[in-house]
Short mmCIF file of all heavy atoms in Angstrom, two decimals:
data_model
loop_
_atom_site.label_atom_id
_atom_site.label_comp_id
_atom_site.label_asym_id
_atom_site.label_seq_id
_atom_site.Cartn_x
_atom_site.Cartn_y
_atom_site.Cartn_z
N LEU A 199 3.75 -65.90 -26.31
CA LEU A 199 4.45 -64.63 -26.57
C LEU A 199 3.50 -63.50 -26.56
O LEU A 199 2.31 -63.60 -27.11
CB LEU A 199 5.15 -64.71 -27.99
CG LEU A 199 6.18 -65.77 -28.22
CD1 LEU A 199 6.80 -65.75 -29.59
CD2 LEU A 199 7.41 -65.62 -27.16
N LEU A 464 14.91 -30.52 3.31
CA LEU A 464 15.20 -31.82 2.82
C LEU A 464 14.40 -32.37 1.69
O LEU A 464 14.78 -33.22 0.90
CB LEU A 464 15.24 -32.83 3.99
CG LEU A 464 16.13 -32.59 5.27
CD1 LEU A 464 15.83 -33.60 6.30
CD2 LEU A 464 17.58 -32.61 4.77
N PHE A 479 11.30 -39.22 -6.33
CA PHE A 479 12.75 -39.01 -6.39
C PHE A 479 13.51 -40.14 -5.65
O PHE A 479 13.54 -40.19 -4.51
CB PHE A 479 12.99 -37.64 -5.71
CG PHE A 479 14.49 -37.15 -5.99
CD1 PHE A 479 15.07 -37.21 -7.19
CD2 PHE A 479 15.19 -36.62 -4.80
CE1 PHE A 479 16.27 -36.76 -7.39
CE2 PHE A 479 16.50 -36.12 -5.12
CZ PHE A 479 17.05 -36.15 -6.32
N ASP A 480 14.12 -40.96 -6.44
CA ASP A 480 14.75 -42.18 -5.79
C ASP A 480 16.28 -42.00 -6.27
O ASP A 480 16.75 -42.48 -7.34
CB ASP A 480 14.25 -43.43 -6.39
CG ASP A 480 14.90 -44.67 -5.77
OD1 ASP A 480 15.58 -44.49 -4.69
OD2 ASP A 480 14.75 -45.76 -6.33
N LEU A 482 20.42 -41.74 -4.55
CA LEU A 482 21.30 -41.92 -3.40
C LEU A 482 22.51 -41.08 -3.53
O LEU A 482 23.26 -41.17 -4.52
CB LEU A 482 21.78 -43.44 -3.33
CG LEU A 482 22.64 -43.74 -2.10
CD1 LEU A 482 21.88 -43.62 -0.88
CD2 LEU A 482 23.15 -45.20 -2.23
#
Side-chain angles (χ1 to χ4, degrees):
L199 297 179
L464 300 175
F479 191 44
D480 185 15
L482 183 64

